[in-house]
Amino acid sequence: MTDRDFYRLDFEHISKDVGRHAALRVAACLEGAECTAHLLPELPFAYDALEPHIDTETVQLHYEKHHKSYVDKLNQTLAPYPQLQRLPLESLLRGLSELPPDIQWEVRNFGGGHFNHSMLWQVLTPKRHAKPSDRLTQELNLRFGESALLKRILTRKSLSLFGSGYTWLYVDPTGVLKVEALPNQDCPLSTGGTPLFLIDLWEHAYYLRYHHERERYLEALWGLINWEEVSERWEHWQTRIAPS
Ligand code: MN3
């Protein structure tokens, strides 16, 4: 396929989902500048900012080793495909089945790993007491009853995922809010969804402090959710993506 096919995909989703670096990268590409490789985005907080809930060493390893390795492997994968290299990550993940078959597995896993971790750093925050916006609260209450129930659903889905993956709060292609756990580095973009929030369930996200006790990690995580960011993602979906 040609890059033009990819460019037909909606670029408007990009800024919320792959961060400032990708937005800059795409802007440069669209202006015809030489495209650069995918970049490790800046971490929006210090390594120790999520203490005592998420320990310093875990954040540092998670960001510097795990996330960076996904970025590096994605760049290696795309190196022989300059046309694909300059596309936004989101377009690659939305159009997985249209990629050359010999790199679909790599883009799904390494590209997914880069996307998911870039989003993860945005939806966590050391600031306390943040709440969903009134409009998102209204939607969550309509869909899940109340916030305590959303927490229970996120926890249950997270505990029932066997192996590694993520639990997602996302809007499905028909506009319905959903909570689903997906394996490995899979993400709702690849089935036409719009992700709002995710929980990293790979052991590298919690093992040093919580060992095998995923439930204690989930409890600690609840106070770190960047509801402001999640609410903005919801507003973005509503104003830019929602089916009219
Ligand atoms: Mn991870």
Side-chain angles (χ1 to χ4, degrees):
M1 74 178 303
T2 68
D3 58 340
R4 186 174 294 180
D5 295 324
F6 266 104
Y7 276 101
R8 286 203 204 100
L9 294 170
D10 190 354
F11 278 88
E12 292 196 334
H13 307 178
I14 294 160
S15 58
K16 272 286 127 205
D17 283 322
V18 286
R20 285 191 301 268
H21 282 261
L24 289 171
R25 205 178 74 96
V26 170
C29 291
L30 289 176
E31 283 164 17
E34 193 178 341
C35 292
T36 54
H38 288 272
L39 303 167
L40 184 66
E42 223 171 277
L43 197 65
F45 42 76
Y47 291 139
D48 63 356
L50 305 182
E51 290 273 11
H53 310 288
I54 310 287
D55 61 282
T56 307
E57 191 181 5
T58 293
V59 174
Q60 184 164 5
L61 288 171
H62 203 169
Y63 174 73
E64 285 183 4
K65 304 294 181 192
H66 293 277
H67 187 173
K68 183 173 185 304
S69 129
Y70 288 121
V71 176
D72 292 345
K73 287 176 181 164
L74 175 65
N75 284 326
Q76 283 163 22
T77 299
L78 297 176
Y81 300 88
Q83 279 185 331
L84 299 179
Q85 204 173 25
R86 66 173 181 275
L87 293 176
L89 183 55
E90 181 171 343
S91 299
L92 294 172
L93 293 171
R94 282 187 185 277
L96 273 181
S97 62
E98 297 170 67
L99 295 173
D102 60 324
I103 61 164
Q104 284 183 13
W105 185 93
E106 285 81 356
V107 172
R108 180 177 182 171
N109 288 291
F110 306 146
H114 177 26
F115 175 87
N116 297 348
H117 286 96
S118 300
M119 181 171 162
L120 181 68
W121 311 130
Q122 298 296 325
V123 299
L124 296 180
T125 178
K127 294 177 199 158
R128 304 282 183 254
H129 312 305
K131 285 182 188 165
S133 67
D134 291 346
R135 287 171 64 183
L136 178 57
T137 300
Q138 211 172 13
E139 285 300 318
L140 291 171
N141 288 349
L142 271 175
R143 178 75 178 94
F144 301 109
E146 51 180 293
S147 66
L149 195 55
L150 173 65
K151 182 180 177 181
R152 281 219 294 278
I153 295 168
L154 280 166
T155 303
R156 197 183 68 228
K157 295 274 185 184
S158 299
L159 293 176
S160 63
L161 180 76
F162 185 75
S164 298
Y166 298 79
T167 309
W168 296 89
L169 171 67
Y170 70 101
V171 192
D172 83 359
T174 65
V176 176
L177 274 171
K178 289 204 166 151
V179 174
E180 287 297 336
L182 299 177
N184 305 315
Q185 296 295 350
D186 288 357
C187 126
L189 284 178
S190 302
T191 50
T194 302
L196 304 180
F197 174 68
L198 77 170
I199 299 173
D200 190 335
L201 298 173
W202 287 62
E203 281 191 342
H204 65 236
Y206 62 89
Y207 199 83
L208 292 180
R209 178 143 296 171
Y210 298 103
H211 304 148
H212 61 289
E213 296 180 272
R214 191 181 271 183
E215 194 163 5
R216 285 180 58 221
Y217 157 68
L218 295 170
E219 189 59 40
L221 208 60
W222 196 253
L224 299 174
I225 300 176
N226 187 347
W227 282 113
E228 198 181 331
E229 169 70 20
V230 177
S231 302
E232 278 176 22
R233 286 171 179 270
W234 161 256
E235 303 288 341
H236 187 264
W237 174 83
Q238 248 202 348
T239 53
R240 309 280 283 277
I241 307 171
S244 47

